[in-house]
Amino acid sequence: VRNSVAYPHLNVKVVGSHGGLSVGEDGATHQCIEDFAIMRAIPGMLVLCPCDGNEMRLAVEALVNYEGPAYMRLGRLASQVFEEDYPFEIGKANVMREGTDAAVFACGLMVSETLEAAKLLEAEGIHIAVINVHTIKPIDADCVSHWARKCGNVVTVEEHSVIGGLGDAVADVLMGKVNCRFRKIGINDQFGQSGKALEVLREYGLTADQIAARIKETL
């Protein structure tokens, strides 16, 4: 990809169909949890991670009209499809839920888990904004900065290593510019393991109730 696609800046799109831990039983050899980091580091590479089937369709349509190299991550696990007709624009995040106590930036499968976490927190009087960052690179810096300033607490949630992914992309925007509490929720410096997809997600702290608990800790 680096030498044959990105370096000559070819109009080639790469789709990874088994991203994240939720490949499940295939285990660590097939659970790709470093793809954002690798692709973000390649100059000129667009990096996408749609949150559901509808957004995937819109992302594919956008990629057809995008000139240049691009990578899009898809997951194998069946996921929630949102009823709302959210717009899709490369480089523009979507606010799925507004809130004042924390701004939570998520991507892919973690968007639905974070929205469920928001419901759990709301029952305790905690109101979080949930922002779907479908474009990891280039990230929507204006959206990130706005919600960080508005809430003062920032959390990122991703089915990816905490090194080099969405969390670091958000941190790059905020560092030295916005004063806020910041926490990354993802996979710490380790490989995945084999198991039922939902059980593996729980093992690594990526289910709605676990995300809600980590957000409360941050607050």
Side-chain angles (χ1 to χ4, degrees), residues 55-115:
E55 191 163 75
M56 179 196 70
R57 175 180 54 80
L58 294 172
V60 170
E61 292 175 355
L63 284 177
V64 169
N65 297 310
Y66 176 81
E67 186 70 27
Y71 170 76
M72 180 167 68
R73 177 208 267 203
L74 304 179
R76 187 176 71 174
L77 185 68
S79 60
Q80 176 185 354
V81 175
F82 300 107
E83 295 180 2
E84 294 86 348
D85 186 21
Y86 292 103
F88 183 90
E89 182 180 351
I90 290 175
K92 294 295 182 183
N94 283 333
V95 179
M96 311 289 278
R97 181 186 179 110
E98 298 202 0
T100 55
D101 294 319
V104 185
F105 299 92
C107 61
L109 180 63
M110 291 298 104
V111 173
S112 60
E113 291 295 326
T114 302
L115 286 169

Side-chain angles (χ1 to χ4, degrees), residues 168-179:
D168 281 0
V170 170
D172 288 346
V173 172
L174 300 177
M175 189 179 299
K177 300 173 185 176
V178 180
N179 184 23

Side-chain angles (χ1 to χ4, degrees), residues 1-216:
V1 172
R2 179 194 183 275
N3 291 344
S4 300
V5 175
Y7 184 55
H9 201 73
L10 299 181
N11 187 28
V12 174
K13 280 70 178 182
V14 180
V15 179
S17 61
H18 287 58
L21 293 172
S22 52
V23 175
E25 292 87 346
D26 289 349
T29 57
H30 287 58
Q31 291 163 342
C32 189
I33 56 174
E34 57 284 310
D35 51 334
F36 296 160
I38 293 169
M39 294 299 175
R40 280 185 66 228
I42 298 176
M45 181 66 67
L46 173 70
V47 183
L48 301 180
C49 183
C51 71
D52 70 353
N54 288 334
E55 191 163 75
M56 179 196 70
R57 175 180 54 80
L58 294 172
V60 170
E61 292 175 355
L63 284 177
V64 169
N65 297 310
Y66 176 81
E67 186 70 27
Y71 170 76
M72 180 167 68
R73 177 208 267 203
L74 304 179
R76 187 176 71 174
L77 185 68
S79 60
Q80 176 185 354
V81 175
F82 300 107
E83 295 180 2
E84 294 86 348
D85 186 21
Y86 292 103
F88 183 90
E89 182 180 351
I90 290 175
K92 294 295 182 183
N94 283 333
V95 179
M96 311 289 278
R97 181 186 179 110
E98 298 202 0
T100 55
D101 294 319
V104 185
F105 299 92
C107 61
L109 180 63
M110 291 298 104
V111 173
S112 60
E113 291 295 326
T114 302
L115 286 169
E116 288 302 312
K119 294 177 184 177
L120 297 174
L121 291 170
E122 187 176 41
E124 301 184 43
I126 299 171
H127 304 281
I128 66 170
V130 179
I131 298 98
N132 167 25
V133 188
H134 52 67
T135 305
I136 311 297
K137 179 188 177 182
I139 196 164
D140 190 344
D142 289 341
C143 178
V144 169
S145 298
H146 169 78
W147 283 98
R149 290 191 179 96
K150 182 173 181 176
C151 297
N153 296 293
V154 173
V155 178
T156 61
V157 187
E158 57 190 317
E159 194 187 352
H160 183 277
S161 170
V162 294
I163 300 170
L166 172 63
D168 281 0
V170 170
D172 288 346
V173 172
L174 300 177
M175 189 179 299
K177 300 173 185 176
V178 180
N179 184 23
C180 61
R181 288 195 186 105
F182 180 80
R183 184 169 203 166
K184 293 187 287 186
I185 299 176
I187 301 150
N188 293 317
D189 193 18
Q190 59 192 126
F191 288 107
Q193 57 186 300
S194 180
K196 298 291 185 183
L198 296 179
E199 294 175 1
V200 176
L201 290 173
R202 177 162 293 280
E203 176 68 20
Y204 290 85
L206 296 176
T207 61
D209 58 319
Q210 294 170 310
I211 293 168
R214 297 285 297 280
I215 293 171
K216 283 179 64 177

